[in-house]
Structures are given as structure tokens and as C-alpha cells.
Amino acid sequence: MPSHHAVLRSLAVTGALMVFGAGVAPAQETIRIGFSAPITGPFAENGKQMMAALNLFIEQNGKTVAGKKIEVILRDDAGVPDQAKRIAQELVVNSKVAILAGYNPTPTALAVAPIATEAKVPEIVMGSSTSTITERSPYIVRTFATQGQITVPMAQWAIRNGIRRVVTLVSDYAPGLDTEKAFNEAFKAAGGEIIESLRVPLQNPDFAPYLQRARDARPEALFVWVPGGLAAPFLRQYVERGLHTSGVRLIGPGDITDDDVLNQMGDPMLGITTSGQYSTAHPSALNKAFVEGFKRASGGLRPDHVGVSVYDGMHLIYEALKTTGGSINGDALIAAMKGMAWESPRGPISIDPETRDIIQNVYVRRVERIDGELYNVEFDTFEAVKDPVKAARKK
């Protein structure tokens, strides 16, 4: 198998397709999976996570399931919805894929949903967190998280720990608006006050003026959500503006202390409290082995919440194919995935049979230094959390 970096170079230069496990079995004995990821563009850091997790899973689990050869066709969608949609169309019509997978950020997953529905091809969403994703097609299953699922525990924790006045700052697109709504509603319902809600453009964001506004409002805490790929520029401007020494606590979903970039940011990160579904430091033997394998597959990167979601998504695909005996009927595959439960490197997870969304633990973590490196150290757990948006609608 080509190295992670060689694959990235190939994609960056050619924009072409990469095939894992091709050319071995006759066509009728091959199951093709179309994998779409932002290998280039502003979300390329997430693309690296997705590639490394895909490489590692195939290395560990092989390219044969239920007697059929697995062929993964990797395409670079650059995180652009129109490109993701065109690629999905080509994968379904020309490459005859049985499953579509990947998709980060959210707009790419949304763009592909109608194709999954029309073709009756499962779309395994591994990097999108808008609550409505699974409602856009009966063929979508998610292994990532929803914004509300990760955010509501943070609001509950903040209130329990004496935080009453907060400014929120989010990226101005669907997951950011989901996050703002989930936090504000849960925080205010528990007696908290939202002083101001700030929204920053997703493309080429300049956080500085928004951070200044947040500081001027004198909150007890600044709640922030930006996608993991933008964590590094946000944190740099957070430090440059002196907020880390201002007495304003930084809280939010774990994207802001993304494991992939955390160690580069240094001591200003110490003590930042976040909620998230996965930490490199999660204390389990399974996770320790995953982290070691991931670093080897990626040339030294730590896995983050995107990486573990791809790893789990591939596990879901392989197990569903085992359940169907290798049948690629879309309805049969979706039926096999509903209710599936297993132990992930992040902890126990399952697929909600009613919503096709993931049920998982959400951990409250604090940035600490261990053996000279910074980690998100888990110290509180909200167990078996469902997407609260869909759960509230059922009541």
C-alpha cells in the first residue's frame, strides 16, 4: 500500500482517483466503496485524518469481506459541495459503488444525500455534525456526532461549575448554528445568561474583531465552536489577543482543542475545558493500540474525532457486509447497520435504529501536560448520549 504522504501527493497533483485493493478478483466478486474526502482545500487537515484512518483500517482488517473483494475508490472533493456531488454521481453511475462514505464538512454530505436516495446506496457520513443530516436521506448513517449531542453536556457542565454569563462564538454555517442553538437553549434553561452570540464567516475567517468584542463584553466564559480544521488559526488569534490571560474561561466542543493541533499550541492551552466524543488520551487498551497504529499510518499524526469516526465507519461497513453475507442491496445494508453496537477506540457506541445516528459517550476534558505533551484528559462522562434535537422531537 502506498504511504499516506505518497497518496496525498498523488491526489494533490492529479486530482485523480486512488484505488485500494483493485484488480484482484473478477468484477462480480468485488464490492466497491466510494470514499470522498477533503484532501486539498481549507479542510485538508481533516482529509489527512480521514486518509490515515482509512489506511489503518484496511491494513488491519484486509480487503476481503464475506468472500468478496473490497475496493475503496478515494476521491478528493476539496470540501466543496458541488464537487462532492459530481464525484458521487460518477462513483454511482460509472464506478458502480455499493456504498458512499466520508464527507467533511457538512455541506458535502448534504449535497450527496439526494444521490444516495435515488440510487438506494448507503451514504456513511463520517465527518458531518448537523443534526438534520440523517433526515435528508433514509440511506444515510452517521458515525461522527451531532453538534447538540456534544454541546448540551458542555452547557450542563458549565452551569454545574458556577459559570453563569457567557459569550458564544461559532462558525456561521449549519453546524455552527446548531451548536449555538443547542448551547444557548440548554444554558438558559438551566439559569445561565447569554450576553452575546457572535458568528464568524466559515471561509477565510478573521477571528480577531470577534474575539475583541467577546473580551469587551466581560463574560465569565467564552463558548466557541469552529470546525477542527480551523482550530489552529482560532487558537493563534485567541492567544495573540491575550484572552488566555484575561480571566475569561474558554469552553466549547472539543474541536477547539483538536488532538491533531493541540500539541503545537503550547502552554496557553492548559486548562481549556471541552466536551467531546473522543480524545487521544482516552484510557483504554483498544485506544492505545489505535493511537499507535494511527501514528504509524499517518507519519506521526495523532488521531482526532474525525479520524476515529472514519475508523468506526469502516468497521460499520465491514460488519454490515458480513451480516448481509456480502449482499450490496442498499436496504439490507441499512437494516444491518441499525442497532449495531461495538466497542470503539472512543468507548462504547451504537447506531440508533430509529434515527440512524450514533449513540455515544460524551466526555468532559481538560487540557493537561503528560510526559511533556498536551492532551485532552477526560474527567467526567455523560453516558450513551443521543442527538438531543431528535430526542426532543419525539417527546
Side-chain angles (χ1 to χ4, degrees):
M1 181 178 295
S3 73
H4 168 63
H5 298 293
V7 169
L8 291 184
R9 281 197 300 274
S10 163
L11 280 163
V13 172
T14 67
L17 122 182
M18 188 74 200
V19 178
F20 296 83
V24 180
Q28 69 271 22
E29 295 298 324
T30 300
I31 297 172
R32 294 186 179 88
I33 300 167
F35 194 94
S36 190
I39 306 301
T40 58
F43 301 96
E45 290 302 313
N46 290 339
K48 290 178 186 176
Q49 287 281 327
M50 297 170 83
M51 272 296 310
L54 179 63
N55 276 333
L56 177 61
F57 185 87
I58 292 172
E59 173 194 306
Q60 291 180 337
N61 295 276
K63 302 167 189 171
T64 305
V65 177
K68 305 287 180 71
K69 194 70 188 171
I70 300 295
E71 181 181 310
V72 179
I73 304 172
L74 174 69
R75 296 293 302 270
D76 178 15
D77 59 35
V80 177
D82 288 348
Q83 196 161 315
K85 186 174 185 178
R86 176 181 55 77
I87 287 169
Q89 194 76 44
E90 291 172 0
L91 288 169
V92 169
V93 174
N94 300 334
S95 302
K96 303 288 191 277
V97 299
I99 295 166
L100 294 164
Y103 304 109
N104 171 272
T106 285
T108 61
L110 291 172
V112 172
I115 295 169
T117 302
E118 184 181 355
K120 298 185 176 181
V121 168
E123 178 187 347
I124 312 307
V125 174
M126 303 171 175
S128 166
S129 52
T130 298
S131 178
T132 57
I133 284 283
T134 53
E135 297 169 329
R136 293 300 180 93
S137 170
Y139 293 92
I140 288 179
V141 179
R142 174 169 23 209
T143 58
F144 189 55
T146 77
Q147 292 303 120
Q149 185 179 46
I150 303 306
T151 300
V152 170
M154 186 79 260
Q156 294 169 341
W157 181 88
I159 288 288
R160 285 208 313 248
N161 286 272
I163 296 172
R164 293 291 183 270
R165 300 176 72 252
V166 169
V167 168
T168 64
L169 184 156
V170 301
S171 288
D172 191 6
Y173 76 122
L177 304 184
D178 274 7
T179 306
E180 177 189 278
K181 185 173 187 287
F183 183 84
N184 288 5
E185 288 181 356
F187 192 67
K188 287 192 286 190
E193 178 189 357
I194 303 297
I195 305 170
E196 194 167 2
S197 291
L198 305 173
R199 297 175 181 177
V200 185
L202 179 63
Q203 300 297 334
N204 305 310
D206 178 10
F207 295 104
Y210 299 91
L211 287 168
Q212 190 59 49
R213 281 176 63 184
R215 184 171 184 168
D216 291 346
R218 299 183 179 278
E220 294 168 349
L222 173 62
F223 171 90
V224 175
W225 182 82
V226 297
L230 298 179
F234 166 77
L235 290 168
R236 276 194 295 272
Q237 293 185 39
Y238 169 80
V239 172
E240 286 167 6
R241 290 270 144 183
L243 267 81
H244 63 299
T245 57
S246 67
V248 178
R249 297 174 72 172
L250 180 58
I251 62 173
D255 306 72
I256 56 173
T257 56
D258 192 299
D259 277 300
D260 190 20
V261 298
L262 178 62
N263 219 33
Q264 306 163 21
M265 301 307 299
D267 286 352
M269 301 300 98
L270 289 168
I272 295 175
T273 303
T274 59
S275 53
Q277 69 270 42
Y278 176 69
S279 168
T280 300
H282 180 68
S284 75
L286 185 61
N287 184 53
K288 185 178 180 183
F290 171 67
V291 171
E292 289 172 358
F294 191 95
K295 285 182 175 179
R296 187 183 66 252
S298 66
L301 290 180
R302 283 184 186 182
D304 66 8
H305 57 323
V306 175
V308 77
S309 177
V310 170
Y311 190 80
D312 287 333
M314 292 303 297
H315 174 93
L316 179 68
I317 290 168
Y318 271 43
E319 291 304 310
L321 286 167
K322 290 176 188 176
T323 301
T324 66
S327 167
I328 58 172
N329 176 277
D331 293 307
L333 286 168
I334 292 295
M337 292 177 187
K338 288 180 177 180
M340 195 169 281
W342 68 100
E343 185 72 20
S344 156
R346 62 181 118 172
I349 62 175
S350 63
I351 301 300
D352 188 331
E354 295 182 359
T355 65
R356 289 164 282 107
D357 239 325
I358 189 167
I359 301 172
Q360 60 190 331
N361 290 351
V362 176
Y363 306 94
V364 184
R365 312 93 54 82
R366 187 183 296 110
V367 178
E368 298 179 10
R369 189 174 292 281
I370 301 173
D371 297 331
E373 295 194 14
L374 298 180
Y375 290 95
N376 291 298
V377 177
E378 299 164 359
F379 65 90
D380 201 355
T381 304
F382 291 76
E383 294 185 354
V385 179
K386 295 186 177 186
D387 173 37
V389 175
K390 298 184 189 74
R393 206 179 296 145
K394 281 178 59 184
K395 288 179 181 175

